Amino acid sequence: MLSTGRHLVLGDIDGPHRLWIRDPLKGSALAYVIVRDEAIDLRQAAVQRLDRRLAGAPPMRLPPGFAPTPFQQRRLNMLLDILDAVLGRERTGITTHEIARCHVYPAMSIGRGNEWKSSAERRRTQRLIDEALALMNGGYRALLRG
């Protein structure tokens, strides 16, 4: 229980329901509050899905955009691994070349020196590092919108 209410994660076959319940009064009915923004359609679908489950209906498929695809999951996991490596640079001294070798191109032999500095692999690795940092610095909010 937090001072702002209670955060709950209810498990379901088709994916969890994440709720924030603000100090409910005993015996009072629950109300759904939906923020009216660019994600309103997704929010309404989530409320409808939860309401159906609370009424005892069978699970329904997740609406499109509700959860990342398997490809998006792999990419986001890779970006998290890259971010961990970048943030640990002071401690570990890991280089961009090692990040590429460990996280982006694990099955490839990546050259060193001038070959590495002028390679497409180096440019892509740097773009992925930039993307991981951008997600950390607020870009993750776009993921929440679906």
Side-chain angles (χ1 to χ4, degrees):
M1 182 86 155
L2 302 172
S3 62
T4 59
R6 183 177 300 224
H7 292 259
L8 302 172
V9 179
L10 304 176
D12 200 347
I13 293 170
D14 286 334
H17 301 273
R18 290 175 175 80
L19 308 170
W20 175 38
I21 300 176
R22 293 188 60 184
D23 303 324
L25 299 173
K26 285 191 176 185
S28 64
L30 291 177
Y32 302 119
V33 177
I34 302 173
V35 176
R36 185 170 181 76
D37 62 7
E38 62 275 355
I40 192 165
D41 292 336
L42 190 59
R43 294 177 193 279
Q44 287 174 330
V47 167
Q48 180 185 22
R49 184 173 161 262
L50 173 64
D51 199 52
R52 285 177 41 89
R53 291 300 283 155
L54 291 176
M60 67 187 260
R61 295 186 63 183
L62 293 173
F66 202 76
T69 65
F71 172 79
Q72 291 169 326
Q73 288 175 4
R74 284 190 304 275
R75 181 175 174 81
L76 290 169
N77 282 330
M78 178 181 63
L79 289 172
L80 283 173
D81 290 341
I82 289 171
L83 185 60
D84 285 343
V86 168
L87 295 178
R89 269 186 185 170
E90 273 187 28
R91 187 174 26 82
T92 63
I94 193 167
T95 65
T96 303
H97 184 269
E98 291 165 330
I99 290 172
R101 195 172 42 78
C102 294
H103 302 293
V104 184
Y105 301 103
M108 283 182 61
S109 169
I110 301 174
R112 286 214 167 258
N114 285 336
E115 182 183 356
W116 167 247
K117 288 186 179 194
S118 63
S119 71
E121 290 85 359
R122 178 177 178 259
R123 289 188 298 277
R124 178 171 183 245
T125 300
Q126 190 57 56
R127 283 192 304 271
L128 290 169
I129 289 171
D130 293 344
E131 184 178 348
L133 290 168
L135 281 172
M136 178 187 78
N137 292 320
Y140 67 90
R141 291 182 183 108
L143 295 174
L144 301 176
R145 287 187 225 112

